[in-house]
Amino acid sequence: MRSSSLMKLIILYSFACNLIWLATCCRGGSVSISRLVSRQLFDSIFLHKDDAVCPANGFYTYDSFVQATRCFPRFANTGSLITRKRELAAFLAQISHETTGGWATAPDGPYAWGLCFKEEVSPQSSYCDSTNTLWPCSPGKTYHGRGPIQLSWNYNYGPAGRALGFDGLQNPEIVSNNSVIAWKTALWFWMTEQRPKTSCHNVMVGRYIPTRQDLAANRTAGFGLVTNIINGGLECGIPTDGRVSDRIGYFQRYATIFNVDTGPNLDCQYQQPF
């Protein structure tokens, strides 16, 4: 058997195991995220997400968020209470930037406008990497940013769909049409290692172990490394990048709300992208 075929079989088996695990855990039984963020607090964090001017109004519901987290029992449920709250603040900050509708003089400030969009505005391409034969693009489909984390590219839609039980390559639109699936894709990206990248979760709970290459690239643990994982190719290694500053602004606001410190290394301006 050719090595590429064997690798595909291994990947298929791995994702089949993931589906079994998800089917089991998604029935409930994990610690509810509502212990850390109530419906009232959630609505106060995302003050304007359901405003008429936000294209995603009515889409990102609290109930969908809580339901999606049941499939990821380690999310915001690892380590001390401070660690758990800090991870939650970091996650909400990153998705807020990805979906922000805020501006410098916006009502209630620029960091009160997370979850305003559910799709990328004016995508510059179809985000199809035709060289990726493991997750081939479907004709006529685009893999632009969708959902809270703005899931992008066929090589993310494919494995996300396989892990979560939907066809990410032939039906990427479901991420912007189904609120629970949208939340699940964001949590999947947050929790999943994609080597050479560690997971955002590992970074925020202190389980990141830098490789020799990471050390040489100055990829130090902290919120800045999470930004590097999410969009480092466009934002990291750049002094005072405005997008990075926006992510930090959201994180600082949410850390204050959850009464935790942000920890060190908030930016990635001196880090090399992965």
Side-chain angles (χ1 to χ4, degrees):
M1 180 181 291
R2 294 171 60 182
S3 59
S4 60
S5 298
L6 177 61
M7 182 60 68
K8 288 182 179 180
L9 286 175
I10 292 172
I11 292 173
L12 287 173
Y13 175 78
S14 174
F15 282 119
C17 292
N18 281 344
L19 283 176
I20 294 172
W21 174 78
L22 283 166
T24 301
C25 79
C26 288
R27 289 197 294 264
S30 61
V31 176
S32 175
I33 197 71
S34 61
R35 295 187 180 184
L36 293 183
V37 55
S38 66
R39 185 187 303 274
Q40 182 180 7
L41 181 57
F42 184 85
D43 289 341
S44 71
I45 288 172
F46 299 107
L47 280 172
H48 296 283
K49 71 180 181 67
D50 294 325
D51 286 10
V53 296
C54 285
N57 67 83
F59 184 70
Y60 295 115
T61 68
Y62 175 77
D63 290 335
S64 293
F65 172 58
V66 172
Q67 182 178 341
T69 61
R70 295 191 182 114
C71 293
F72 300 90
R74 292 181 293 114
F75 171 70
N77 194 33
T78 302
S80 68
L81 180 59
I82 291 175
T83 298
R84 290 159 53 201
K85 287 184 175 181
R86 187 183 295 117
E87 181 186 9
L88 179 57
F91 173 79
L92 296 179
Q94 292 288 357
I95 65 169
S96 292
H97 168 79
E98 293 289 314
T99 59
T100 186
W103 64 99
T105 58
D108 301 304
Y111 307 123
W113 287 80
L115 300 182
C116 191
F117 290 88
K118 60 180 180 177
E119 291 195 52
E120 181 179 352
V121 178
S122 302
Q124 300 301 303
S125 74
S126 63
Y127 291 88
C128 170
D129 179 1
S130 59
T131 66
N132 191 300
T133 57
L134 185 58
W135 305 107
C137 304
S138 296
K141 298 297 182 180
T142 69
Y143 304 97
H144 60 270
R146 297 181 178 94
I149 203 76
Q150 293 289 279
L151 190 73
S152 304
W153 296 99
N154 50 308
Y155 51 73
N156 282 319
Y157 274 89
R162 184 64 60 82
L164 300 173
F166 69 92
D167 192 336
L169 295 177
Q170 295 195 44
N171 187 22
E173 300 88 355
I174 197 171
V175 179
S176 55
N177 293 332
N178 185 302
S179 181
V180 175
I181 289 178
W183 280 112
K184 285 182 180 179
T185 61
L187 290 162
W188 170 84
F189 188 93
W190 185 267
M191 300 297 296
T192 303
E193 292 187 351
Q194 299 184 55
R195 292 298 179 185
K197 298 179 181 180
T198 186
S199 69
C200 301
H201 170 75
N202 282 347
V203 173
M204 293 309 303
V205 302
R207 293 184 176 177
Y208 165 60
I209 301 175
T211 64
R212 185 177 302 175
Q213 290 77 16
D214 290 326
L215 293 173
N218 197 37
R219 292 194 281 260
T220 51
F223 186 75
L225 182 57
V226 173
T227 298
N228 198 339
I229 293 169
I230 294 173
N231 205 31
L234 295 178
E235 298 181 22
C236 295
I238 305 172
T240 62
D241 185 273
R243 294 162 295 186
V244 174
S245 298
D246 190 68
R247 295 178 192 271
I248 294 171
Y250 271 112
F251 185 37
Q252 290 172 329
R253 177 183 178 232
Y254 297 163
T256 299
I257 289 174
F258 286 108
N259 195 29
V260 295
D261 63 272
T262 61
N265 304 318
L266 293 181
D267 65 62
C268 60
Q269 63 177 318
Y270 299 114
Q271 296 182 20
Q272 294 177 22
F274 286 94

